[in-house]
């Protein structure tokens, strides 16, 4: 008993502290609930990591990894001149990939604002020769082409002097050993107010960096309220690797499907909120010019399908080059994913995780009285599924509508599969259920 109390009391106190810090009295508005449904239907987004770090071609953590002092890092800004940046091309590419939204870094851990901020001059307008607000350009284009825009915002800041006391990272920036934490949070709220005021309707805010100072008071209640007051439909999510805090509208996972933790930092607790998982095409978020380990289109489609079967969205990352172009290896893969979605999107968009939990061979998705069985990896001619309590009216191949033979038995459903085609990523069987 004593042992138990020793274990649980601190945990409880911790949970309570987090609870108090978040937006406990939050009741999502009607617009927010509708946006959540839209989000779940959308299924696929493009993540964009772009900043002055892109110039060094060594990922977005380069300042910390190479122990670059803030005053040296600042010199980078004068070279950021992405003359080849064409927002129309980016948004058209995202659409060609079949994505329904874009999530872009407004400020990463280096603290540099990729937008016109009035509360700092550490931003793209004041420090770069380009002098244009790329977020504004992108937002206008997204609205024009009918795609939603989310902003990634790093709460962790390696540049701001008031990010103090320091957390786990950013110790080599050469900042004075003093600072006013609340002033930093005021600054952050002021920037968020800008992002939610000057860029039209925002899909949501994708927070990251709380993990740097897990025990700090992040004033989440205040920040989340600010966002929801300014734009009630904006969805808040945070990459804190914990179950969602009150005030958050979706739960995210980094480089893992919901409930899994192969990356080593994800929670396996899956909430009832809309879900999203993000991953990279190679192994870098920000542009990395030596990282050539690209995932195949097949692997990317499989991840998208497994995410959908886990009731989650897939946010697939690109790290554009410093000149504003997206590297050809990414473009090719995105277009191929898009071609696949054009033919098979019916089994992805607007679906939820299906009646049979994810399996090693594949997953199921469902929309109304239609279940899609996604066979990703099953070499044999028959596949036995556990019965899920519904009668089947008709089974057909999504590819060409040809009938699929099946047997409904006690406790199981047997599907006779067509021979697997090597070039096919996903053999999709459509089960039309008896209403
Ligand atoms: C975070 C960022 O640090 C990264 O740069 C990128 O933006 C990604 C989407 O999100 O990635 C993390 C954050 C924390 C850990 C690992 C990766 N962690 O605590 O191990």
């Amino acid at each position: 008993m004593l042992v138990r109390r020793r274990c649980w009391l601190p945990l409880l106190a911790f949970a309570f502290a987090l609870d108090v810090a978040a937006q406990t009295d939050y009741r999502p508005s009607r617009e927010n609930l509708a946006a959540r449904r839209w989000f779940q239907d959308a299924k696929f987004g493009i993540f964009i990591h772009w900043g002055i770090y892109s110039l060094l071609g060594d990922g977005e953590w380069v300042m910390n990894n190479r122990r670059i002092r803030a005053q040296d890092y600042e010199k980078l800004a004068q070279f950021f001149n992405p003359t080849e940046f064409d927002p129309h091309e980016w948004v058209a590419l995202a659409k060609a990939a079949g994505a329904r939204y874009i999530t872009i870094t407004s400020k990463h851990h280096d603290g540099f604002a990729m937008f016109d901020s009035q509360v700092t001059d550490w931003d793209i307008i004041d420090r770069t020769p380009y002098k244009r607000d790329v977020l504004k350009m992108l937002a206008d284009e997204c609205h024009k082409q009918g795609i939603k825009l989310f902003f990634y915002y790093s709460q962790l800041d390696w540049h701001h002097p008031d990010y103090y006391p320091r957390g786990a990272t950013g110790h080599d920036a050469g900042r004075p050993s003093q600072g006013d934490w609340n002033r930093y949070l005021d600054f952050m709220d002021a920037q968020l107010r800008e992002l939610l005021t000057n860029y039209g309707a925002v899909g949501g805010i994708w927070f990251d960096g709380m993990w740097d100072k897990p025990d700090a008071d992040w004033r989440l209640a205040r920040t989340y309220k600010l966002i929801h007051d300014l734009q009630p439909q904006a969805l808040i999510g945070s990459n804190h690797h914990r179950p969602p805090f009150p005030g958050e509208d979706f739960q995210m996972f980094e480089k893992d499907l919901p409930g899994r933790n192969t990356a080593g930092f994800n929670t396996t607790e899956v909430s009832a909120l809309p879900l999203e998982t993000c991953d990279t095409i190679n192994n870098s978020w920000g542009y990395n010019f030596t990282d050539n380990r690209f995932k195949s289109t097949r692997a990317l489609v499989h991840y998208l399908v497994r995410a959908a079967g886990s009731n989650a969205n897939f946010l697939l990352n690109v790290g554009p080059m410093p000149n504003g172009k997206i590297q050809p290896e990414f473009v090719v893969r995105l277009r191929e994913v898009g071609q696949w979605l054009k033919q098979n999107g019916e089994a992805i968009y607007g679906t939820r995780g299906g009646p049979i939990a994810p399996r090693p061979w594949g997953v199921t998705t469902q929309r109304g009285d239609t279940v899609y069985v996604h066979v990703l990896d099953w070499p044999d001619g028959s596949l036995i599924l556990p019965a899920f309590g519904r009668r089947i009216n008709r089974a057909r191949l999504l590819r060409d509508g040809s009938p699929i033979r099946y047997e409904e038995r006690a406790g199981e459903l047997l599907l006779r599969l067509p021979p697997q085609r090597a070039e096919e990523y996903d053999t999709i069987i459509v089960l039309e259920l008896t209403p």
Side-chain angles (χ1 to χ4, degrees), residues 296-317:
S296 63
T297 303
R298 183 186 193 87
L300 297 172
V301 166
H302 279 198
Y303 198 74
L304 172 64
V305 170
R306 287 195 191 276
S310 308
N311 204 30
N313 290 10
F314 181 25
L315 184 63
L316 174 59
N317 183 73

Side-chain angles (χ1 to χ4, degrees), residues 368-423:
D369 287 330
T370 308
V371 168
Y372 301 92
V373 180
H374 298 258
V375 184
L376 300 174
D377 188 17
W378 185 256
D380 297 324
S382 42
L383 176 66
I384 295 178
L385 311 178
F388 50 90
R390 295 284 302 269
R391 297 300 310 275
I392 290 157
N393 209 7
R394 206 161 87 91
R396 61 183 161 87
L397 202 54
L398 182 68
R399 185 208 297 155
D400 57 9
S402 61
I404 290 287
R405 285 189 300 134
Y406 62 95
E407 290 166 34
E408 289 174 292
R409 307 165 170 175
E412 60 190 35
L413 167 69
L414 182 136
L415 297 177
R416 303 264 177 224
L417 302 180
Q420 268 201 337
R421 291 185 180 178
E423 76 281 4

Side-chain angles (χ1 to χ4, degrees), residues 106-291:
S106 62
K107 178 195 106 164
H108 205 270
H109 306 336
D110 63 2
F112 188 78
M114 292 293 281
F115 59 100
D116 184 11
S117 178
Q118 303 306 312
V119 292
T120 181
D121 68 348
W122 184 227
D123 74 13
I124 194 163
I125 302 288
D126 295 315
R127 296 287 184 107
T128 75
Y130 193 61
K131 288 192 197 324
R132 297 182 69 187
D133 184 335
V134 291
L135 293 198
K136 180 72 179 142
M137 295 162 76
L138 191 63
D140 290 347
E141 191 60 39
C142 282
H143 296 140
K144 211 183 281 173
Q145 294 197 44
I147 200 158
K148 285 203 193 188
L149 185 63
F150 289 61
F151 292 129
Y152 167 110
Y153 189 91
S154 173
Q155 294 153 298
L156 160 60
D157 196 311
W158 294 330
H159 180 273
H160 201 291
D162 284 323
Y163 189 89
Y164 191 88
R166 251 40 105 201
T169 63
H171 291 272
D172 304 310
R175 289 174 288 184
S177 296
Q178 62 189 56
D180 182 338
W181 180 242
N182 278 306
R183 205 159 58 193
Y184 172 70
L185 295 175
D186 290 341
F187 162 81
M188 183 171 79
D189 286 346
Q191 285 203 324
L192 288 164
R193 178 181 289 281
E194 293 177 330
L195 289 170
L196 289 148
T197 306
N198 302 332
Y199 300 86
V202 171
I205 302 292
W206 205 102
F207 282 112
D208 186 23
M210 272 180 67
W211 43 263
D212 185 63
K213 290 180 69 170
D215 301 325
D217 178 4
W218 286 95
R219 281 189 354 203
L220 290 186
R222 189 150 148 182
T223 301
Y224 289 178
K225 184 174 185 317
L226 170 78
I227 295 167
H228 285 137
D229 282 351
L230 287 169
Q231 297 206 21
Q233 87 295 341
L235 302 177
I236 297 176
S238 181
N239 192 28
H240 45 49
H241 304 147
R242 300 220 186 118
F245 298 148
E248 294 171 7
D249 302 302
F250 67 103
Q251 182 180 9
M252 60 175 74
F253 302 84
E254 185 184 334
K255 289 182 168 284
D256 259 312
L257 294 167
R260 304 190 49 179
N261 183 17
T262 61
F265 44 69
N266 282 305
T267 174
T268 52
E269 220 171 288
V270 180
S271 76
L273 293 181
L275 309 174
E276 179 187 75
T277 172
C278 57
D279 207 347
T280 48
I281 296 182
N282 48 11
N283 289 285
S284 311
W285 299 101
Y287 179 56
N288 185 325
F289 83 129
T290 58
D291 183 350

